[in-house]
Amino acid sequence: MKMEELVKEALRMRKYSYVPYSHFRVGAALLTEDGKIYTGCNIENASYTPTNCAERTAFFKAVSEGERKFKAIAIAGGPEGAKELDYCSPCGVCRQVMMEFCDYETFQVIIVKSETEYKVFTLQEILPLGFGPKSLEE
Ligand code: THU
């Protein structure tokens, strides 16, 4: 099942995160409408602000390959070396990137604690009163 695969991929991607400053490892797995998975991890920087979250890494990889339609994203994050994870919820900037490319009412955001423990929200639930491309239409 795709949701389980997404969860596993998000957990697996934590190992590629580049986190010399926060030591907080995040992995993400983004599912396109036609069933392809794009993965991402967080990538930090000595100058701090150029840091890219795992979610945006996955989105930017996918969008730069021509993808525009997405169904779900799984996110797994927590301190390096933690015995178990807490639920890691996406930051505001990443929610806004989701708003740009995803359906407000149906896009699923899966926050992952383990392979078998995860919670599913819609974009609308985690970003109420969102501002997106439709807001600019006349
Ligand atoms: N981070 C993510 O990659 N995704 C989230 O959902 C929350 C935060 C990253 C940014 C930074 O590298 C580290 O986690 C600590 O904030």
Side-chain angles (χ1 to χ4, degrees):
M1 192 220 179
K2 277 287 176 198
M3 197 173 287
E4 279 146 24
E5 199 181 329
L6 271 191
V7 166
K8 274 192 193 165
E9 281 295 278
L11 285 163
R12 186 181 68 84
M13 286 305 292
R14 290 185 70 230
K15 71 167 175 277
Y16 298 119
S17 62
Y18 175 74
V19 289
Y21 309 106
S22 74
H23 302 282
F24 192 87
R25 293 190 179 275
V26 187
L30 176 65
L31 180 65
T32 67
E33 257 187 20
D34 53 10
K36 257 178 98 178
I37 293 176
Y38 287 84
T39 56
C41 62
N42 53 333
I43 304 167
E44 297 186 345
N45 189 281
S47 185
Y48 297 159
T49 54
T51 293
N52 210 53
C53 290
E55 298 89 321
R56 275 176 290 140
T57 302
F59 268 100
F60 295 158
K61 280 168 70 178
V63 171
S64 66
E65 297 287 323
E67 303 289 351
R68 291 292 184 277
K69 290 188 168 164
F70 304 101
K71 269 168 94 165
I73 189 167
I75 303 148
E80 200 166 57
K83 281 212 185 91
E84 55 176 43
L85 298 182
D86 277 330
Y87 292 105
C88 172
S89 156
C91 81
V93 174
C94 290
R95 291 173 203 212
Q96 189 62 36
V97 169
M98 292 172 198
M99 190 75 200
E100 190 65 31
F101 295 107
C102 305
D103 185 84
Y104 197 45
E105 281 154 37
T106 61
F107 183 71
Q108 294 185 308
V109 180
I110 306 157
I111 57 171
V112 177
K113 188 168 158 57
S114 71
E115 274 192 25
T116 53
E117 298 164 287
Y118 49 86
K119 295 180 187 173
V120 187
F121 299 93
T122 64
L123 179 55
Q124 183 165 34
E125 284 172 319
I126 65 160
L127 185 60
L129 298 175
F131 183 92
K134 286 192 182 129
S135 313
L136 294 174
E137 285 170 13
E138 279 183 40

